[in-house]
Amino acid sequence: MALLLLFSLFTKHLVCDFLWQPSWMLAGKGDFRSPGGYAHAGLLDRTF
């Protein structure tokens, strides 16, 4: 059961990071002053 949960969370992060993330979000992920990181966290929080 734990392995299934780990696999689903990994798959969710993979989809959000590489398929749904636009370039502006990727560019702002490492900077707390940029909205890209907050949008990325919201995308991960609201999916699946």
Side-chain angles (χ1 to χ4, degrees), residues 29-41:
K29 268 176 44 175
D31 186 7
F32 284 116
R33 295 171 292 168
S34 176
Y38 298 109
H40 173 73

Side-chain angles (χ1 to χ4, degrees), residues 12-21 40:
K12 171 184 147 175
H13 207 97
L14 185 74
V15 167
C16 289
D17 270 352
F18 295 106
L19 298 178
W20 290 349
Q21 184 168 265
H40 173 73

